[in-house]
Amino acid sequence: MQEIITNLIQASESKIILVVLDGLGGLPAKEGPYKGLTELESAHTPNLDALARSSACGLHLPVGYGITPGSGPGHLGLFGYEPKRYIIGRGILEAVGLGMEVKNTDIALRCNYATMKDGLIVDRRAGRPPTEVSRKLTERLSAEIKEIDGVKIFFAPGMEHRFAVVMRFQDPLPEDASSLNDTDPQREGMPPLKLVPQSPNAERTADIAEKLISKAVEILKTQERANYILLRGFSEPPKMQTFKEAYGLKALAIAAYPMYRGLASLIGMDSPEVKGDIDEEIEFLNAHYSEYDFFFVHIKKVDSYGEDGNFEAKMKKIEEFDRALPKILNLKPDVLIITGDHSTPSIMRSHSWHPVPVLLNSKYVLGGLSEGFSERECFKGELGVIPTTALMPLALANSGRLKKFGA
Amino acid sequence: MQEIITNLIQASESKIILVVLDGLGGLPAKEGPYKGLTELESAHTPNLDALARSSACGLHLPVGYGITPGSGPGHLGLFGYEPKRYIIGRGILEAVGLGMEVKNTDIALRCNYATMKDGLIVDRRAGRPPTEVSRKLTERLSAEIKEIDGVKIFFAPGMEHRFAVVMRFQDPLPEDASSLNDTDPQREGMPPLKLVPQSPNAERTADIAEKLISKAVEILKTQERANYILLRGFSEPPKMQTFKEAYGLKALAIAAYPMYRGLASLIGMDSPEVKGDIDEEIEFLNAHYSEYDFFFVHIKKVDSYGEDGNFEAKMKKIEEFDRALPKILNLKPDVLIITGDHSTPSIMRSHSWHPVPVLLNSKYVLGGLSEGFSERECFKGELGVIPTTALMPLALANSGRLKKFGA
């Protein structure tokens, strides 16, 4: 489908804003003052409700019926990339989540500090060192290991025993260059697993990784606990068209959390660092509105409170967005989409499989079917329940960026 | 999609009940006291209506728009197997419908008694013998033909001139081993058609079948009319994962009619014989509730009355189920789905292509969108119109049996 869309793209001066309230969809509270109502239904959202009444409303299904999406598949779908086709590997997700840049010549992996004794892994997490301690170790590795056999090596510190590594090769990688097993034996008292390339094209990667382990062990040898590193989740960025190639859109990602900037950067969106929360993000949007065609505005904490099981805080974060919404409406975008990347019902304290409410506002919608912005009102809307990947084509069509198909 | 689901399965203690009111969906009566109302709308169903109000409601489409499903595709879809991909051959369906066990080393076929004279088939149905007469003939064949060249032969009597045969080979069959034509010439006054293997792998099957005909003819030679047998519908069970392999579920089929036990046994569900109707089936469910994860409860007569064109009897059978429903609700399953395998509108006296009303009850639904359980109320529900194969993933998700897809 994306190929068909790409062939229909035509130039336009129009502007599209996609606001992602992460984990927006919810379920009714089982008790308390909001019993029977979802977070969105409980929230006082006069601006969203008014907008929903004149918008195309519906729900979107990120991966499939019953399937709970992670953040990767959730966002790829919103950007119009089929999430069952483009899989983001664990190493890549970890690297972009720690704010690392990832290019198409790169292999990324997740690493653990571990404790080795007499050739056996006696603690797979090196006693969970405090983050400020492990950060210093990672900085040292980073200072001393810059390149191995012409491959640039980048490190990013993570929480406790975790860090990420990006290997940047000089040329685009051959197929299956990241087909390598984890070295983590998964059980303590075992030696680390040997790296066994699953494809001849992974032999060079294995060689670099072996040398990385040796160099790190040499640097860490005076450490009592963090004297070894385990490697996991070798992966390459999925081979995808950039957003510009797919849709002709110059796109800006506005996200306070590195993971979402990283996901956007995988498809070539500009993803500068943004500090703050809703107000700062919308200020940033206003400041750069003339420079781009497409704006992805990511608001994280709706999901965070859902994952905490904090119904009221999730509700209040939605209300906070509602108060800020006029500052987006004042920009008068040709298309404004407000939705989530998946549902995170507070009663479940986790992502869920439920379809996600969405409103699409443009000059070219019916409207008048939903009385407000909520899961139940969206079921009455003109979009119905659609695959998440349908949203980008609808955004492009509503912004005058798609030609007719066939004569 | 089933592959993705299988990869996401996680263990759980949860219980799922799937109640299939065969042929549930209907159409409005054209006249009489229920004019303008469907069977479900006419039925007094306070328990179903209350349940629908707090459930996810919708309709499911078994095969595709406008396609009227047989019982095989209807049930495969409910079990999450794509019915356009897994085709149940006529011989297999006949055999399981007559209560025969079918294994993955088996070829099944439908047979007719016929009358042969001077090498020509003069009556393709041997004068439609009474069932009790033909049953005795089939018992005689069964007693005298137990094995041919190491292949075990099983017989099951059917109605009038019909019976079924299962050939049980010693090893799993090579591809296309059942690619054999029917011997029925379709017109009287013609010789039976010769068996011509459509593939080298079907040569042995053809040889066994020729010998089966010879042996049967020898046994039947004193019969005036039923002195020959015609063979049709050679087929093997479709190569499908078992329900346990696909979903990790230990499943029990509770069905009074052998065909539905047989369909369930094709995917490895336990399918013991159950006598009686709704009450006896629900009693059986209660008796075995601790032993399984998944329960398929099949209620046949809703469809039977629909096929008879008996609107009121179909309606009353639905009411009878409604009265029994509390005995299912008392079990407090984690997920309860109530639906049909297809629609059987009384005014059509046949299966139809119309989507089938469904309700799914669990802790994790919105609810509140449908005011009762009927075709028209289900169209207002949160499920919308979904493919039948979406129901199993939804059941698994709602019962906590699916992990997140992607990170």
Side-chain angles (χ1 to χ4, degrees):
Chain A
M1 199 54 175
Q2 211 181 20
E3 291 73 2
I4 293 179
I5 296 295
T6 299
N7 287 329
L8 298 178
I9 290 293
Q10 63 185 3
S12 165
E13 297 292 299
S14 58
K15 304 265 188 189
I16 302 169
I17 300 176
L18 167 67
V19 178
V20 177
L21 297 155
D22 201 303
L24 178 64
L27 284 172
K30 296 290 181 202
E31 54 193 9
Y34 305 108
K35 185 175 170 180
L37 299 175
T38 69
E39 299 89 330
L40 247 181
E41 288 171 337
S42 306
H44 177 64
T45 52
N47 295 313
L48 278 167
D49 292 340
L51 190 64
R53 287 193 285 273
S54 64
S55 295
C57 294
L59 297 104
H60 67 86
L61 194 65
V63 182
Y65 292 98
I67 298 186
T68 296
S71 299
H75 279 84
L76 282 191
L78 288 170
F79 300 148
Y81 298 76
E82 173 49 53
K84 292 191 287 294
R85 175 170 167 193
Y86 301 107
I87 306 295
I88 300 179
R90 290 305 310 234
I92 294 292
L93 200 71
E94 187 83 0
V96 303
L98 293 174
M100 302 180 86
E101 187 190 26
V102 177
K103 301 192 171 185
N104 71 349
T105 57
D106 292 356
I107 287 175
L109 48 149
R110 312 156 76 187
C111 305
N112 276 10
Y113 291 108
T115 312
M116 179 180 269
K117 202 178 163 186
D118 304 331
L120 304 179
I121 299 298
V122 295
D123 188 332
R124 294 171 52 235
R125 297 182 188 84
R128 289 191 185 274
T131 299
E132 56 278 17
V133 170
S134 71
R135 169 178 292 271
K136 286 199 185 120
L137 291 178
T138 308
E139 282 165 5
R140 219 175 120 196
L141 295 181
S142 180
E144 300 195 22
I145 309 174
K146 301 254 181 226
E147 194 173 311
I148 299 175
D149 294 352
V151 176
K152 294 211 170 85
I153 309 289
F154 301 92
F155 294 81
M159 304 284 280
E160 300 179 336
H161 53 285
R162 300 185 194 91
F163 62 102
V165 164
V166 166
M167 303 176 167
R168 180 155 304 153
F169 292 76
Q170 278 150 331
D171 301 304
L173 294 160
E175 211 173 332
D176 298 325
S178 66
S179 292
L180 272 183
N181 59 298
D182 297 351
T183 67
D184 186 342
Q186 294 295 331
R187 278 193 307 155
E188 273 139 15
M190 308 278 287
L193 301 181
K194 255 192 78 64
L195 281 167
V196 183
Q198 316 288 302
S199 135
N201 287 338
E203 281 168 17
R204 179 149 187 243
T205 315
D207 185 47
I208 304 290
E210 295 284 12
K211 288 177 175 160
L212 170 66
I213 296 170
S214 305
K215 285 175 188 281
V217 166
E218 181 62 25
I219 294 164
L220 299 170
K221 69 181 175 196
T222 56
Q223 297 295 317
E224 201 179 320
R225 307 194 79 166
N227 65 358
Y228 194 76
I229 64 172
L230 293 170
L231 315 185
R232 296 186 297 153
F234 285 88
S235 44
E236 296 155 70
K239 282 165 190 52
M240 298 185 289
Q241 285 188 299
T242 65
F243 212 64
K244 180 89 188 166
E245 288 163 350
Y247 309 125
L249 293 170
K250 191 178 174 208
L252 176 65
I254 304 175
Y257 279 60
M259 156 99 70
Y260 306 94
R261 292 200 296 271
L263 284 168
S265 74
L266 286 179
I267 51 168
M269 286 192 198
D270 281 355
S271 321
E273 198 172 335
V274 182
K275 298 268 184 211
D277 196 4
I278 297 175
D279 288 332
E280 292 80 2
E281 290 186 351
I282 295 180
E283 217 166 279
F284 199 90
L285 169 68
N286 273 268
H288 297 276
Y289 193 64
S290 64
E291 301 161 36
Y292 294 87
D293 307 310
F294 182 95
F295 305 85
F296 157 53
V297 181
H298 182 265
I299 293 164
K300 172 66 184 169
K301 288 189 180 158
V302 178
D303 173 68
S304 312
Y305 289 125
E307 299 234 23
D308 293 346
N310 193 335
F311 187 99
E312 219 163 310
K314 180 175 172 188
M315 177 190 101
K316 291 205 166 127
K317 190 49 79 173
I318 295 169
E319 291 177 344
E320 184 185 329
F321 174 73
D322 188 77
R323 287 191 298 275
L325 178 54
K327 283 182 269 177
I328 298 178
L329 296 177
N330 285 344
L331 292 168
K332 301 196 190 312
D334 298 277
V335 173
L336 171 60
I337 294 177
I338 300 175
T339 189
D341 54 337
H342 53 76
S343 293
T344 303
S346 305
I347 62 161
M348 296 185 69
R349 296 171 173 266
S350 68
H351 292 200
S352 81
W353 61 89
H354 299 87
V356 189
V358 55
L359 72 75
L360 184 155
N361 192 268
S362 91
K363 280 200 290 279
Y364 308 117
V365 300
L366 279 173
L369 287 161
S370 300
E371 281 159 43
F373 191 50
S374 75
E375 294 81 0
R376 279 181 266 224
E377 286 301 323
C378 282
F379 276 109
K380 302 176 185 165
E382 70 204 67
L383 296 180
V385 180
I386 57 176
T388 302
T389 51
L391 290 173
M392 269 309 300
L394 286 170
L396 292 162
N398 277 276
S399 64
R401 288 174 174 273
L402 287 186
K403 287 182 294 201
K404 188 159 66 175
F405 174 78
Chain B
M1 203 58 175
Q2 209 183 21
E3 290 75 358
I4 293 179
I5 295 295
T6 298
N7 287 329
L8 297 177
I9 290 293
Q10 64 184 2
S12 166
E13 298 290 297
S14 57
K15 305 263 188 190
I16 302 169
I17 299 177
L18 168 67
V19 177
V20 178
L21 296 156
D22 200 304
L24 178 64
L27 284 172
K30 295 295 180 201
E31 54 193 11
Y34 305 107
K35 185 175 169 179
L37 299 175
T38 70
E39 299 90 328
L40 248 180
E41 287 170 336
S42 306
H44 177 63
T45 53
N47 295 311
L48 278 167
D49 292 341
L51 190 64
R53 286 192 287 273
S54 64
S55 295
C57 295
L59 297 103
H60 67 86
L61 195 63
V63 183
Y65 292 100
I67 298 185
T68 296
S71 299
H75 280 83
L76 281 191
L78 288 171
F79 301 148
Y81 297 76
E82 173 48 55
K84 294 192 286 293
R85 173 170 168 193
Y86 300 106
I87 307 295
I88 300 179
R90 290 307 312 233
I92 295 292
L93 200 68
E94 187 82 2
V96 303
L98 293 174
M100 301 180 87
E101 187 189 27
V102 176
K103 301 190 171 188
N104 71 348
T105 56
D106 293 355
I107 287 175
L109 49 148
R110 312 156 76 190
C111 305
N112 276 10
Y113 291 108
T115 312
M116 179 182 267
K117 201 175 165 190
D118 304 332
L120 303 180
I121 299 298
V122 296
D123 188 333
R124 293 172 52 238
R125 297 181 187 84
R128 289 192 185 272
T131 299
E132 57 277 18
V133 170
S134 71
R135 168 177 292 273
K136 287 201 184 118
L137 291 180
T138 308
E139 282 166 4
R140 219 175 121 196
L141 295 182
S142 180
E144 300 195 22
I145 310 174
K146 300 249 180 230
E147 196 174 310
I148 300 174
D149 294 351
V151 176
K152 293 212 171 84
I153 309 291
F154 301 92
F155 294 82
M159 304 282 278
E160 301 179 335
H161 53 286
R162 301 185 193 89
F163 64 102
V165 165
V166 166
M167 303 176 167
R168 180 155 302 153
F169 292 75
Q170 277 149 329
D171 301 303
L173 294 161
E175 212 173 330
D176 298 326
S178 65
S179 292
L180 272 182
N181 58 296
D182 297 351
T183 66
D184 186 342
Q186 293 295 333
R187 278 194 306 155
E188 274 141 13
M190 307 278 288
L193 300 181
K194 254 192 82 64
L195 281 168
V196 183
Q198 316 289 301
S199 138
N201 285 339
E203 282 169 17
R204 178 148 187 245
T205 316
D207 185 47
I208 304 291
E210 295 283 11
K211 287 175 176 161
L212 170 66
I213 297 171
S214 304
K215 283 176 191 281
V217 165
E218 180 62 26
I219 293 163
L220 299 170
K221 68 182 175 195
T222 55
Q223 297 296 316
E224 201 179 321
R225 308 193 79 165
N227 65 359
Y228 193 76
I229 64 172
L230 293 170
L231 314 186
R232 296 186 297 154
F234 284 88
S235 45
E236 296 155 70
K239 281 164 190 55
M240 299 185 288
Q241 284 187 300
T242 65
F243 212 64
K244 180 93 189 165
E245 288 163 351
Y247 309 124
L249 293 170
K250 190 176 175 209
L252 176 66
I254 304 176
Y257 279 61
M259 157 98 71
Y260 306 94
R261 292 201 295 270
L263 283 168
S265 75
L266 286 178
I267 51 169
M269 286 193 198
D270 281 355
S271 321
E273 197 173 335
V274 182
K275 298 268 185 213
D277 195 0
I278 297 175
D279 288 331
E280 292 79 4
E281 290 187 350
I282 296 180
E283 216 166 278
F284 198 90
L285 169 67
N286 272 270
H288 297 275
Y289 193 64
S290 65
E291 300 161 36
Y292 294 87
D293 307 310
F294 182 95
F295 304 86
F296 157 52
V297 181
H298 181 266
I299 292 164
K300 172 64 184 168
K301 288 188 180 160
V302 178
D303 173 68
S304 312
Y305 289 125
E307 299 233 26
D308 293 347
N310 192 337
F311 187 100
E312 218 164 311
K314 180 176 171 188
M315 176 189 101
K316 291 206 164 125
K317 188 52 75 175
I318 294 168
E319 291 178 343
E320 184 185 329
F321 173 74
D322 188 77
R323 287 191 297 275
L325 177 54
K327 283 182 270 179
I328 298 178
L329 297 178
N330 284 344
L331 292 168
K332 300 195 193 308
D334 298 277
V335 174
L336 171 61
I337 295 177
I338 300 176
T339 188
D341 54 337
H342 53 75
S343 293
T344 303
S346 305
I347 62 161
M348 296 182 69
R349 298 171 172 265
S350 69
H351 292 202
S352 80
W353 60 89
H354 301 85
V356 189
V358 56
L359 71 76
L360 184 156
N361 193 268
S362 92
K363 281 201 287 283
Y364 306 119
V365 300
L366 279 174
L369 285 161
S370 300
E371 281 160 43
F373 191 51
S374 73
E375 294 81 358
R376 278 180 267 225
E377 285 301 322
C378 281
F379 276 107
K380 302 178 188 166
E382 68 204 69
L383 296 180
V385 179
I386 58 176
T388 302
T389 50
L391 289 172
M392 270 309 299
L394 286 169
L396 292 162
N398 277 277
S399 64
R401 288 175 174 272
L402 289 185
K403 288 181 294 205
K404 191 159 68 173
F405 175 77

